Amino acid sequence: MKDVVLTIFLVLLGTAVFSQTGQTGSIKGKIIDAKTKEALEFVNVSIRTKDSGKTLVTGTVTDSTGVFHLSRIKNGTYILSASYIGYRTLEKEFTISSKERNINLRNLLLEEDAQAISEVQVVAQRAQMRFEIDKKVFDVASNISQAGGSASDILGNIPSVEVDNEGEISLRGNSSVTIWINGKASGLTADNQAQILEQIPAESIERIELITNPSAKFSPEGTSGIINIILKKDRKAGYYGSIQTGADTQGGYNASANINYNSGKVETYLNAGYRQRKSEGEDNTNRTNTDEAGNPVSYLNQKGKSDRNGSSVFVRAGITYNFTPKDHLSLEAFAHFGDRKSDNMIRYESNVPGSFTTSERLTHSKNSSNGNNINLDYKHEFNKNSNITARASWDLWKSDGTDTYKQHSFYPEGKETASWQQQESDNRSQSWEFQVDYVNKFSEDSKVEAGYKGSLSNRKSPVETYSGATEASAVLDELLFNKYIYDQNIQALYATYSTKLNQFGVQVGLRGEYTDTETKSLGYGEHRSEVKPYKNDYFSLFPSVFLSYSLPKDNEVQINYTRRISRPRGWQLNPFVNMTDSLNISYGNPYLDPEFSNSFEVNYIKNWEKHTLSLSAYYRNTDDVIQRIRYREGDVMKSTSANITRSSSTGAEIVAKNKFFSFLDITTTMNLYYNKLDGFSYTPEGTDTPVTGEKDDNFSWNAKMIANAMLPYAISLQATGNYNSRRIIAQGHRKSNYSIDLGARKSFFNRKVTFSVNVQDILNSRNWHSVTSGNGFRQDSDSWRKGQVFRFTLSYNFGNMKATPKKQQRQQNEMNGIEEEF
């Protein structure tokens, strides 16, 4: 072991030494309006060679403070071009040499082009998607087709992401994905994320980041990667805000407001939103019971309808105090409060011997939930290349629910039965996170990062059930009483080192995590001290390696490898036997182990002036895959979770961004992947007959296209199309589906007022159809929500968007690393 550590150290040391010889440099500056002296964001900045061909080398856009920064530029003389709609293009010559590698152009003045402004008014719109070295970033403000929706609606229109009928999220066809808010869990777990994301309004989100193969710096949870939702927090100087309201054709409506203030020394913001949402859905399931030879012997069919409505309040506030240009203290908090009601009706038909011929089951559910998050951050900058940040975070999530079931059944020869049940649940989840991160840049292209993260979480899920023929005769059902307790502590250390030698870049990292879990499932009358817990403690190492090579003519190739983990979800571990539906019984498995996967990825990126092409190939193998299995005992269908097999996935992702005719922007993503599940044989506890699954493989693909058109008179149009092909699941497959969303936006009064209209699922085609089979059964299930939902949204922007006084502006420039031009 010592020899391995020494070898790694020597390799890193040698790489660091050689990296200092790289003949590359950087350039930075700030774009401002020549007349108002205000910073201009989203200005296109490009660098071309000075020769007659003027080949494009690289490019970027300015941030919210007007700043741009481009690095890894070879020695030579270039032309920098800054262009923005309504302004004259600015060009400036500069030279990168061994004597002057890091150039600061300071303030560059853009002058208005009066003729261009008088000819046509065109809406400037941020790019829908951009590439960064370790992630893809999607701008939510540009997503017109989901205006007035929720975080779940936004995710459903992100390339490579799918959201199913129950709110479960998949990335590249894999549901083992971690969801973050502002770079941390923020109380989200696999058990509650669907409910929480439904409550977060789309207008509170700034951007969404897809990190498909995160380095050792990030949590390794989620075998398919991380989706990071970044909420809005503007750092521009002055005070400003917006008010938004909207409604849809299903009876839903929403309203929100936000205000920001930044004096340079103090930055504050406050966001608040309210949403009322209604939806309808249907589902059908046809089950055929078979004998040992696979011949049909009976059937059980069901048809269901559901009406759902709910409301939620989302509040977020924060303050940052800049003690000095190098010391920053931030306090942030957000809370969400919501309630949901749903009415479901299921009609059964059956010819199972001894069972009913027809039955009707009515379910009425009421659920209230609220979550709170408080986050304290401190950042100290030792110098412009070195800093340390510390964070403490606390989360609390509560969910109370009551489900009432009424069932009326008819049997042969005129017999009738009736039953009444009410199930009450009270879920609590609390967690603490402590994190410290250190960054030190040795040069423009070499840096080391290291840190610690501790996560402490506790969940309690008590359930009480009352059963009887009628509500008046119902009593506490001891068999359906359960109190589930789940504790999980994770302690992690990580270190990464990155450097670049000419065109070759490398980043290596290692993360170590110790996980301590303890679960208890208490039955009626049992005390916590009387039940022996199930414990699972383990230590895991997660290495990561990232390699990149810059090819001529603005081409780049990236290769990376990471090890990932997917820990079992709380409901998968709970051994409580849920018998509320006597014909469909489910229970968890406390002996589940985590899934471990090895993920490899190769990326190629090519940039042209108006086009970008990204090609990715990936391979992922996973051990101890957790799957939901179903088996029949008599006339009852049972289901549980188990580590039953091994899987592998190979795929390719193609992303093309194209700009046509200066007003049309099209982003096309296609994901092609091959999944393979090994065969398995699993014998559930208490049974003698094993559940088996044959080896299965499948080629699947999905595609998304987002088209944005920016028209005169401040009009924007957007169309989003999705298609998912057939894919395999445990014991079966899911059929293909597709959908189309449309949106339009018009701005008034110098873009102070904006009106949007969009329609979701215009073809009413967004459904989920699965076919499964196993020992003694074949089952066909189909579910969908009512589509063709029209939304209307009106926004008003207000405030002082001018620059801060000269002294405060100078301080802001110092924080951004830009020198003031006198």
Side-chain angles (χ1 to χ4, degrees):
M1 185 63 183
K2 291 182 178 179
D3 293 338
V4 174
V5 174
L6 180 60
T7 301
I8 295 175
F9 175 77
L10 291 175
V11 170
L12 295 180
L13 181 62
T15 309
V17 171
F18 285 122
S19 69
Q20 309 305 315
T21 64
Q23 301 299 309
T24 61
S26 66
I27 185 170
K28 62 182 178 180
K30 182 173 184 177
I31 308 295
I32 63 176
D33 186 298
K35 184 177 180 180
T36 66
K37 300 298 187 286
E38 292 183 9
L40 296 175
E41 58 180 332
F42 313 134
V43 176
N44 292 310
V45 179
S46 61
I47 295 177
R48 298 177 178 276
T49 56
K50 192 185 176 183
D51 54 32
S52 57
K54 293 187 177 181
T55 304
L56 178 68
V57 176
T58 185
T60 186
V61 295
T62 57
D63 63 17
S64 60
T65 63
V67 174
F68 68 89
H69 186 195
L70 294 166
S71 60
R72 300 178 181 177
I73 305 171
K74 296 180 183 179
N75 287 357
T77 300
Y78 302 92
I79 301 296
L80 180 141
S81 176
S83 60
Y84 194 58
I85 295 174
Y87 288 80
R88 297 174 183 172
T89 298
L90 171 70
E91 291 190 347
K92 191 173 185 66
E93 182 178 321
F94 69 96
T95 301
I96 299 290
S97 66
S98 58
K99 294 182 180 179
E100 190 173 12
R101 293 183 180 175
N102 301 314
I103 297 175
N104 187 350
L105 297 178
R106 298 182 175 87
N107 293 340
L108 299 176
L109 306 181
L110 281 192
E111 297 181 350
E112 287 187 354
D113 188 339
Q115 181 178 356
I117 294 176
S118 62
E119 287 176 353
V120 65
Q121 181 184 9
V122 182
V123 178
Q125 184 170 313
R126 184 185 298 190
Q128 179 80 23
M129 178 182 68
R130 67 179 186 271
F131 298 95
E132 296 186 8
I133 190 167
D134 59 348
K135 61 193 171 212
K136 297 182 181 72
V137 182
F138 299 87
D139 176 58
V140 172
S142 301
N143 200 319
I144 306 171
S145 63
Q146 296 303 318
S150 67
S152 294
D153 297 322
I154 292 292
L155 288 172
N157 276 270
I158 298 295
S160 302
V161 178
E162 181 186 1
V163 182
D164 70 12
N165 199 27
E166 300 301 321
E168 184 175 48
I169 298 168
S170 301
L171 177 60
R172 287 179 172 174
N174 188 336
S175 61
S176 178
V177 57
T178 295
I179 312 295
W180 281 348
I181 298 177
N182 291 339
K184 58 185 186 299
S186 300
L188 287 175
T189 68
D191 299 320
N192 66 24
Q193 66 184 19
Q195 187 173 350
I196 293 177
L197 294 175
E198 188 70 23
Q199 298 182 36
I200 299 177
E203 58 268 19
S204 68
I205 302 173
E206 177 181 313
R207 66 184 187 275
I208 292 176
E209 301 174 344
L210 295 189
I211 312 174
T212 54
N213 215 17
S215 72
K217 176 181 179 179
F218 301 100
S219 167
E221 182 71 38
T223 57
S224 64
I226 297 170
I227 299 177
N228 188 20
I229 300 172
I230 304 298
L231 302 179
K232 290 180 179 177
K233 188 182 75 169
D234 209 322
R235 295 175 62 92
K236 290 183 290 187
Y239 72 90
Y240 44 92
S242 65
I243 300 173
Q244 186 178 73
T245 184
D248 64 51
T249 53
Q250 286 190 340
Y253 54 90
N254 63 280
S256 65
N258 74 86
I259 188 167
N260 302 261
Y261 174 74
N262 180 5
S263 67
K265 197 76 173 178
V266 177
E267 305 168 29
T268 62
Y269 65 90
L270 173 64
N271 311 124
Y274 175 81
R275 300 186 70 245
Q276 178 74 37
R277 185 157 187 168
K278 296 182 179 181
S279 64
E280 299 176 7
E282 295 185 21
D283 61 89
N284 298 328
T285 298
N286 298 324
R287 189 175 88 207
T288 301
N289 299 320
T290 61
D291 58 22
E292 294 182 357
N295 300 313
V297 294
S298 61
Y299 68 86
L300 174 63
N301 300 333
Q302 62 185 65
K303 292 185 178 181
K305 290 186 177 181
S306 64
D307 292 309
R308 301 176 183 177
N309 65 83
S311 60
S312 62
V313 175
F314 182 82
V315 181
R316 181 168 177 261
I319 181 170
T320 298
Y321 183 69
N322 303 306
F323 295 95
T324 71
K326 295 185 177 182
D327 294 277
H328 319 282
L329 182 66
S330 300
L331 178 64
E332 297 179 304
F334 72 79
H336 51 88
F337 310 91
D339 64 80
R340 293 190 302 172
K341 296 180 181 179
S342 65
D343 290 291
N344 302 275
M345 180 188 67
I346 302 177
R347 289 199 173 109
Y348 300 90
E349 292 184 357
S350 172
N351 68 347
V352 176
S355 182
F356 54 74
T357 54
T358 61
S359 182
E360 184 176 82
R361 184 178 180 84
L362 303 176
T363 303
H364 176 70
S365 300
K366 293 192 299 182
N367 178 277
S368 64
S369 65
N370 65 79
N372 306 275
N373 172 265
I374 299 177
N375 192 78
L376 181 65
D377 279 281
Y378 172 73
K379 180 177 182 180
H380 174 72
E381 301 174 11
F382 299 103
N383 52 56
K384 66 178 182 179
N385 295 322
S386 178
N387 65 75
I388 188 169
T389 59
R391 167 183 291 169
S393 179
W394 173 78
D395 300 287
L396 176 64
W397 181 75
K398 301 179 181 180
S399 177
D400 302 325
T402 300
D403 300 307
T404 304
Y405 308 95
K406 298 178 182 179
Q407 188 156 348
H408 193 187
S409 303
F410 297 88
Y411 292 77
E413 302 176 357
K415 178 184 176 183
E416 294 183 36
T417 62
S419 64
W420 185 94
Q421 278 186 328
Q422 188 173 87
Q423 193 168 77
E424 299 177 355
S425 60
D426 183 11
N427 300 303
R428 297 288 186 273
S429 176
Q430 183 174 223
S431 64
W432 285 89
E433 284 188 0
F434 303 94
Q435 187 169 346
V436 179
D437 297 287
Y438 171 75
V439 179
N440 190 3
K441 293 181 66 175
F442 305 117
S443 67
E444 190 66 34
D445 297 316
S446 298
K447 69 177 178 179
V448 64
E449 297 179 90
Y452 158 81
K453 183 178 181 180
S455 302
L456 314 173
S457 61
N458 169 264
R459 303 175 204 170
K460 297 178 181 179
S461 307
V463 176
E464 290 184 354
T465 307
Y466 296 84
S467 303
T470 63
E471 182 177 1
S473 63
V475 296
L476 180 65
D477 193 330
E478 297 180 3
L479 293 177
L480 294 178
F481 176 91
N482 178 254
K483 185 174 183 180
Y484 183 63
I485 302 171
Y486 178 67
D487 295 310
Q488 178 177 271
N489 299 326
I490 303 174
Q491 306 296 320
L493 291 171
Y494 77 88
T496 67
Y497 175 75
S498 58
T499 190
K500 186 174 177 65
L501 176 61
N502 294 328
Q503 284 72 48
F504 181 73
V506 61
Q507 182 198 84
V508 294
L510 183 65
R511 186 183 186 93
E513 288 194 349
Y514 178 76
T515 305
D516 173 13
T517 61
E518 180 178 302
T519 63
K520 282 187 178 182
S521 183
L522 310 182
Y524 181 75
E526 292 182 324
H527 190 268
R528 185 170 184 174
S529 61
E530 300 172 345
V531 177
K532 183 179 179 180
Y534 175 73
K535 294 186 176 183
N536 190 14
D537 304 341
Y538 50 92
F539 176 77
S540 308
L541 289 175
F542 301 95
S544 66
V545 179
F546 288 74
L547 306 174
S548 66
Y549 187 79
S550 298
L551 299 170
K553 297 184 179 180
D554 211 26
N555 293 264
E556 185 172 354
V557 177
Q558 303 168 355
I559 303 174
N560 52 65
Y561 159 78
T562 64
R563 188 172 188 248
R564 311 285 298 164
I565 186 174
S566 181
R567 297 176 176 87
R569 304 178 180 183
W571 62 267
Q572 292 175 320
L573 294 168
N574 189 356
F576 170 60
V577 180
N578 190 336
M579 299 183 292
T580 50
D581 184 348
S582 59
L583 297 177
N584 294 279
I585 296 175
S586 62
Y587 61 96
N589 180 0
Y591 305 108
L592 290 175
D593 292 321
E595 301 176 356
F596 288 94
S597 67
N598 296 291
S599 182
F600 302 83
E601 193 167 315
V602 179
N603 299 304
Y604 167 77
I605 300 175
K606 167 64 177 175
N607 290 296
W608 294 270
E609 184 175 4
K610 294 185 178 181
H611 308 281
T612 300
L613 176 65
S614 169
L615 304 177
S616 301
Y618 57 90
Y619 170 78
R620 179 176 59 246
N621 62 66
T622 306
D623 295 318
D624 294 325
V625 175
I626 300 173
Q627 289 281 306
R628 197 72 176 167
I629 63 168
R630 298 175 176 85
Y631 61 99
R632 188 166 67 91
E633 282 191 356
D635 299 324
V636 177
M637 180 66 68
K638 292 188 173 182
S639 61
T640 188
S641 298
N643 299 101
I644 56 174
T645 188
R646 187 176 188 273
S647 71
S648 60
S649 178
T650 305
E653 185 180 65
I654 305 169
V655 180
K657 290 179 58 183
N658 300 282
K659 190 171 184 64
F660 302 100
F661 313 115
S662 75
F663 70 91
L664 180 62
D665 188 296
I666 297 178
T667 300
T668 307
T669 302
M670 179 174 288
N671 184 30
L672 307 98
Y673 53 95
Y674 171 79
N675 284 332
K676 176 183 174 184
L677 282 173
D678 292 347
F680 66 89
S681 177
Y682 174 77
T683 304
E685 188 175 354
T687 66
D688 298 324
T689 304
V691 177
T692 60
E694 298 296 328
K695 178 180 177 181
D696 199 1
D697 59 359
N698 174 243
F699 173 79
S700 303
W701 63 279
N702 57 56
K704 289 191 179 184
M705 178 178 286
I706 303 174
N708 292 284
M710 295 173 286
L711 306 180
Y713 307 107
I715 297 176
S716 302
L717 303 177
Q718 184 179 85
T720 303
N722 301 273
Y723 178 82
N724 297 288
S725 75
R726 179 185 183 274
R727 70 182 64 178
I728 61 172
I729 57 177
Q731 297 178 276
H733 67 272
R734 179 180 292 174
K735 292 187 176 181
S736 61
N737 60 42
Y738 61 92
S739 65
I740 297 176
D741 301 333
L742 300 175
R745 181 166 61 196
K746 162 69 177 171
S747 296
F748 304 89
F749 307 114
N750 197 25
R751 302 182 65 184
K752 289 288 186 180
V753 177
T754 302
F755 177 73
S756 302
V757 58
N758 62 71
V759 55
Q760 181 177 316
D761 196 13
I762 191 171
L763 301 178
N764 197 19
S765 58
R766 187 173 281 150
N767 69 334
W768 292 265
H769 191 164
S770 62
V771 179
T772 57
S773 61
N775 296 343
F777 78 96
R778 291 194 299 270
Q779 186 163 288
D780 191 303
S781 300
D782 193 12
S783 65
W784 63 94
R785 295 179 184 176
K786 182 179 179 181
Q788 297 176 325
V789 181
F790 287 80
R791 292 197 187 101
F792 306 91
T793 305
L794 183 66
S795 302
Y796 170 68
N797 300 314
F798 62 89
N800 173 23
M801 305 302 292
K802 294 182 180 180
T804 56
K806 193 170 185 178
K807 181 179 179 181
Q808 296 172 347
Q809 184 67 51
R810 188 180 303 119
Q811 182 185 42
Q812 188 76 13
N813 289 340
E814 291 173 353
M815 293 171 58
N816 291 324
I818 304 298
E819 299 179 14
E820 186 75 15
E821 182 73 34
F822 292 97

